[in-house]
Amino acid sequence: MEARIDKIKQQLQSQGYKLTPQREATVRVLLENEEDHLSAEDVFMLVKEKAPEIGLATVYRTLELLSELHVVQKLNFGDGVARYDLRGDNTKHHHHHLICVQCGSMQEILDDWLGPLEERLEKEFQFQVIDHRLDFQGICKKCQEKEKDQQADQ
Amino acid sequence: MEARIDKIKQQLQSQGYKLTPQREATVRVLLENEEDHLSAEDVFMLVKEKAPEIGLATVYRTLELLSELHVVQKLNFGDGVARYDLRGDNTKHHHHHLICVQCGSMQEILDDWLGPLEERLEKEFQFQVIDHRLDFQGICKKCQEKEKDQQADQ
DNA sequence: TTAGGTGCAAATCTTTTGCAGAAAG
DNA sequence: CTTTCTGCAAAAGATTTGCACCTAA
């Protein structure tokens, strides 16, 4: 954990930015919740526990800065809030999502099926891939069952 | 064109909704700009040319309704506005996007590489796929060249 | 001392909602 | 009539910005 913070500190400093206490607290929250997709508001509430004086604007500015440095990735599931994911050293940042259009639930699948496609893109389009995102919209198991029940009722 | 409007009219009516002049104007704008990813504001401005009295709220409500009926698909590129794509009869709604994280440009590629994955999903997760979305973030050709130039300058 | 950072409040921007009136079956 | 739909204006919610103060190299 400390090692990863040090690395982020270096990334910041190499661009002339400082790892202030507020930024460090924010990064720690991201590290401790690496599995989640936290919104800015989520991060804010968690950071407040460590640094109660922090302002929401600072959290936004920090997340924005970390995005620019590619330390975190900004995600959008279409629910009106941006979410922020740490880009692991372990670069297992290839999440894929199954988003149910009926109940809004979101399930994550972790495989990375797209390596070969990325290679093809770099060749055919000279597009240098940093990350990708693959979301499936559809109807989850539960909602399919609900639908069947409703049809049975009618 | 008229045929597609008729079909949408039927889809609406089968759910108890009407194809009002405002809705028709909105659908026509979507049809005429099928290649673009229009935001609600974009649609609003274009619809105003045909139906100047229309309100922005009506456009939002119409797009929302058409989304529910799966006539259009709501997209989110992470730039803070929702965009709306008509789902063609021809169901070539499998766009993939190359989004440049530096200049924000977006290029579209149309192949559908994911058929086999969808089958696998339906089997492994019992998730009924309606649509998918595959976005690649990275650095486009132009920005790669700019970067090289800058390095040469230093 | 000087640039970078911060908190707060105000501003901005997108989207949604309440409401009274209009349109359509 | 009764339900659906509309425009307008206000509200809501997320994010950004202006500004005066602060803090570290």
Side-chain angles (χ1 to χ4, degrees), chain A residues 6 17-18 38 49 56 64 99 125 143 146:
Chain A
D6 275 355
Y17 300 114
K18 301 167 195 169
L38 300 178
E49 293 171 12
L56 179 56
E64 179 63 25
I99 302 166
F125 294 89
C143 287
K146 259 186 234 153

Side-chain angles (χ1 to χ4, degrees), chain B residues 107-148:
Chain B
Q107 187 181 354
E108 210 167 85
I109 50 179
L110 288 168
D111 282 2
D112 187 354
W113 289 325
L114 298 182
L117 294 189
E118 292 192 358
E119 284 169 31
R120 183 172 156 192
L121 273 183
E122 307 213 350
K123 275 187 200 139
E124 284 185 28
F125 294 89
Q126 275 125 60
F127 186 86
Q128 180 189 334
V129 176
I130 293 176
D131 202 356
H132 64 235
R133 185 172 138 192
L134 175 54
D135 293 342
F136 292 91
Q137 278 113 339
I139 302 179
C140 70
K141 203 178 162 186
K142 276 192 186 170
C143 287
Q144 284 175 48
E145 283 160 7
K146 260 187 232 153
E147 257 182 30
K148 274 184 211 150

Side-chain angles (χ1 to χ4, degrees), chain B residues 54-114:
Chain B
I54 201 174
L56 179 55
T58 300
V59 171
Y60 271 103
R61 284 186 281 230
T62 300
L63 292 172
E64 179 62 26
L65 177 60
L66 294 176
S67 282
E68 276 166 28
L69 297 180
H70 302 294
V71 172
V72 305
Q73 187 187 10
K74 197 171 174 179
L75 295 174
N76 233 302
F77 294 119
D79 61 348
V81 272
R83 297 175 182 282
Y84 299 84
D85 269 25
L86 213 43
R87 295 201 178 204
D89 263 337
N90 35 359
T91 348
K92 54 143 196 174
H93 57 270
H94 291 301
H95 302 191
H96 306 305
H97 300 103
L98 305 182
I99 302 166
C100 179
V101 297
Q102 304 216 335
C103 67
S105 73
M106 199 261 300
Q107 187 181 354
E108 210 167 85
I109 50 179
L110 288 168
D111 282 2
D112 187 354
W113 289 325
L114 298 182

Side-chain angles (χ1 to χ4, degrees), chain B residues 17-18 20 22-23 53-55 58 61:
Chain B
Y17 301 114
K18 301 166 193 169
T20 63
Q22 291 92 332
R23 287 180 183 163
E53 75 294 351
I54 201 174
T58 300
R61 284 186 281 230

